[in-house]
Amino acid sequence: QVQLVESGGGLVQAGASLRLSCAASGRTFKGYAVAWFRQAPGKEREFVAAIRWSAGNTYYEDSVKGRFTISRDNAKNTVYLQMNSLKPEDTAVYYCATRQQYGSSWSLKVLNEYGYWGQGTQVTVSS
């Protein structure tokens, strides 16, 4: 069983940066994919970014490309989401999730493909 813990959220002004962390306990991320999803008030949870742990391949939702970067630290068994040039529309609870890394790139963006989730961290961007 794996437990995921997110951290790094907060309240920032538009244009600022934040770095979210997703730490795993119970097992390593080796052989798995890790993704970030977000859920704004009144909206469905949506895909943000994903990384395949072994190869390091990364995938992004179009609205965050060029602003967000997902990365991993093998030694710390942690995945990061560096968020730059934040916009008010980025305001949401951000969740990390993990699943087996094999499968299509399309499937990595599907919420129901992930079996393990963290508790979420709030990101609020003021205008």
Side-chain angles (χ1 to χ4, degrees):
Q1 189 76 5
V2 62
Q3 291 80 43
L4 304 178
V5 178
E6 303 99 332
S7 61
L11 171 63
V12 297
Q13 291 188 331
S17 298
L18 280 175
R19 189 179 76 161
L20 306 183
S21 299
C22 174
S25 61
R27 63 160 170 78
T28 70
F29 280 133
K30 184 178 180 180
Y32 285 75
V34 182
W36 288 96
F37 287 79
R38 65 186 179 185
Q39 188 166 18
K43 295 187 177 181
E44 294 185 350
R45 196 170 298 188
E46 65 175 4
F47 171 79
V48 176
I51 185 168
R52 296 187 200 263
W53 190 262
S54 298
N57 302 100
T58 58
Y59 308 86
Y60 297 94
E61 192 267 332
D62 287 346
S63 69
V64 306
K65 285 180 180 177
R67 300 189 298 123
F68 291 10
T69 303
I70 189 170
S71 62
R72 71 195 191 294
D73 185 321
N74 291 350
K76 295 183 178 180
N77 203 36
T78 298
V79 170
Y80 302 100
L81 185 68
Q82 178 67 43
M83 305 187 295
N84 298 330
S85 303
L86 282 162
K87 304 176 181 180
E89 51 264 44
D90 294 319
T91 295
V93 178
Y94 283 71
Y95 300 89
C96 70
T98 190
R99 49 155 278 186
Q100 293 279 344
Q101 68 180 352
Y102 304 108
S104 68
S105 56
W106 174 85
S107 71
L108 291 175
K109 303 177 181 180
V110 177
L111 183 150
N112 291 338
E113 293 284 332
Y114 290 83
Y116 299 97
W117 292 82
Q119 82 288 350
T121 185
Q122 176 71 47
V123 172
T124 304
V125 185
S126 63
S127 58

